[in-house]
Amino acid sequence: DSGVVQSPRHIIKEKGGRSVLTCIPISGHSNVVWYQQTLGKELKFLIQHYEKVERDKGFLPSRFSVQQFDDYHSEMNMSALELEDSAMYFCASSLVNSDYTFGSGTRLLVI
Amino acid sequence: GQQVQQSPASLVLQEGENAELQCNFSSTATRLQWFYQHPGGRLVSLFYNPSGTKHTGRLTSTTVTNERRSSLHISSSQTTDSGTYFCAKSSNTNKVVFGTGTRLQVLP
């Protein structure tokens, strides 16, 4: 078990472009959440899925969509990228009411 | 308002000194977790501690649920402890809210 795996690790996109971030949770973890962190500041909650159903949405822009698949992996589709979207994107997984394990994050730079 | 407040915002220690980091949350927490973020960005879970006291190595976490606070004590700090410490809480919905973090710098 290699923990929560995020890909890609780093990505550079042009303003207005699109990107897809992937999160593979720990085996058996059906609760997956996404966070955005800008410049080492607090982590902003974006969205949570549990058992492939969206449970809660936070600061997720309407230009972004997130889907959880049958094997519980999650994909964040980002479109019409803006400079302000440059950040670290973390996903984390857990069992219900258990502690979260975070992935190593994806660093997105929009130029 | 901020649901999870941490203090101090930043802290500078000499190696060997102790540190006490505080976390206060504004509503009931069913899950309280402390994280350490490496300077390079990696997030590591330190404690899952919804109540009571837990120890690991030089770290101690104490959560008093009915007072909506938690603390992280670092004893005999080392330069490798430098980084940012986050407290995060969630309620029944499992949504986790992070505090703004305490940035710790331990000088040799």
Side-chain angles (χ1 to χ4, degrees), chain B residues 22-89:
Chain B
Q22 302 292 340
C23 173
N24 292 276
F25 38 96
S26 60
S27 58
T28 302
T30 57
R31 165 167 44 193
L32 197 294
Q33 203 166 348
W34 282 94
F35 291 91
Y36 166 68
Q37 188 169 37
H38 288 261
R42 189 163 64 95
L43 272 165
V44 175
S45 176
L46 297 175
F47 291 103
Y48 170 61
N49 187 19
S51 67
T53 298
K54 291 190 175 182
H55 304 274
T56 180
R58 295 178 293 104
L59 305 181
T60 302
S61 169
T62 300
T63 299
V64 184
T65 309
N66 59 357
E67 295 183 11
R68 298 177 181 171
R69 61 180 175 86
S70 182
S71 65
L72 178 67
H73 183 84
I74 305 172
S75 62
S76 303
S77 62
Q78 300 176 0
T79 56
T80 50
D81 294 332
S82 298
T84 305
Y85 292 80
F86 289 100
C87 164
K89 73 101 178 175

Side-chain angles (χ1 to χ4, degrees), chain A residues 31 33 35 37 39-43 45 48 55-56 88 90 94-100 102 104 107, chain B residues 2 30-31 33 35 37 40-43 45 48 84 86 91-100 103:
Chain A
N31 189 42
V33 293
Y35 288 87
Q37 186 182 37
L39 296 176
K41 295 186 178 177
E42 66 187 284
L43 281 81
F45 170 75
Q48 176 201 2
R55 286 290 301 272
D56 202 350
M88 280 287 286
F90 290 98
S94 77
L95 298 169
V96 175
N97 289 327
S98 183
D99 55 325
Y100 277 99
F102 276 76
S104 299
R107 189 178 298 275
Chain B
Q2 183 68 32
T30 57
R31 165 167 44 193
Q33 203 166 348
F35 291 91
Q37 188 169 37
R42 189 163 64 95
L43 272 165
S45 176
Y48 170 61
T84 305
F86 289 100
S91 56
N92 293 334
T93 61
N94 282 314
K95 173 179 138 183
V96 179
V97 178
F98 278 75
T100 52
R103 195 178 301 272

Side-chain angles (χ1 to χ4, degrees), chain A residues 30-95:
Chain A
S30 57
N31 189 42
V32 176
V33 293
W34 286 90
Y35 288 87
Q36 179 196 60
Q37 186 182 37
T38 306
L39 296 176
K41 295 186 178 177
E42 66 187 284
L43 281 81
K44 280 188 182 177
F45 170 75
L46 296 179
I47 195 167
Q48 176 201 2
H49 282 81
Y50 175 66
E51 290 288 344
K52 299 175 287 181
V53 175
E54 180 185 309
R55 286 290 301 272
D56 202 350
K57 185 182 286 186
F59 292 94
L60 190 76
S62 59
R63 300 174 286 106
F64 296 2
S65 64
V66 177
Q67 187 177 0
Q68 188 178 33
F69 295 86
D70 288 345
D71 61 354
Y72 299 138
H73 89 271
S74 179
E75 290 184 1
M76 180 184 297
N77 278 274
M78 313 164 84
S79 61
L81 287 168
E82 301 176 357
L83 299 179
E84 296 72 29
D85 296 329
S86 296
M88 280 287 286
Y89 290 84
F90 290 98
C91 85
S93 73
S94 77
L95 298 169

